[in-house]
Amino acid sequence: MNHEVRMARTLEQERAALAQDEQRLADRRKQLEDREREEAIRACERSGLLKLDPRRLESLAKRIRTLGLDEVEKRLTA
């Protein structure tokens, strides 16, 4: 019986440790996502896109969504 109690406690401890690891990993993923987003914004700033007037930027974004990124890249490199 004592062995069963110890094993149950150990299993619970392992579950708790896994839950903590999962949370830490989720936090790291979120931080990476935030850093990637910030880098994308900086790239847009460097390109001059954020200097466009909002209507013009929205129109450009709408055209990009309509064509799709792959098509836009293909057309720009042609």
Side-chain angles (χ1 to χ4, degrees), residues 1 11-13 37 41 44 50 55 58 68-69 76:
M1 177 83 172
L11 291 175
E12 281 303 312
Q13 289 170 342
R37 181 175 174 78
I41 290 169
C44 286
L50 296 182
R55 286 184 302 250
E58 187 174 339
L69 289 174
L76 288 174

Side-chain angles (χ1 to χ4, degrees), residues 8-35:
R9 187 177 305 137
T10 302
L11 291 175
E12 281 303 312
Q13 289 170 342
E14 184 65 20
R15 282 189 187 95
L18 285 171
Q20 288 176 339
D21 290 345
E22 288 170 355
Q23 184 59 50
R24 278 194 294 272
L25 186 56
D27 291 343
R28 284 183 59 201
R29 283 191 178 113
K30 175 71 171 115
Q31 288 175 343
L32 177 59
E33 206 175 274
D34 291 346
R35 286 176 45 208

Side-chain angles (χ1 to χ4, degrees), residues 39-60:
E39 185 58 35
I41 290 169
R42 279 193 292 279
C44 286
E45 286 174 343
R46 286 190 302 268
S47 73
L49 285 173
L50 296 182
K51 292 180 183 175
L52 292 175
D53 108 9
R55 286 184 302 250
R56 189 170 174 202
L57 181 57
E58 187 174 339
S59 174
L60 180 60

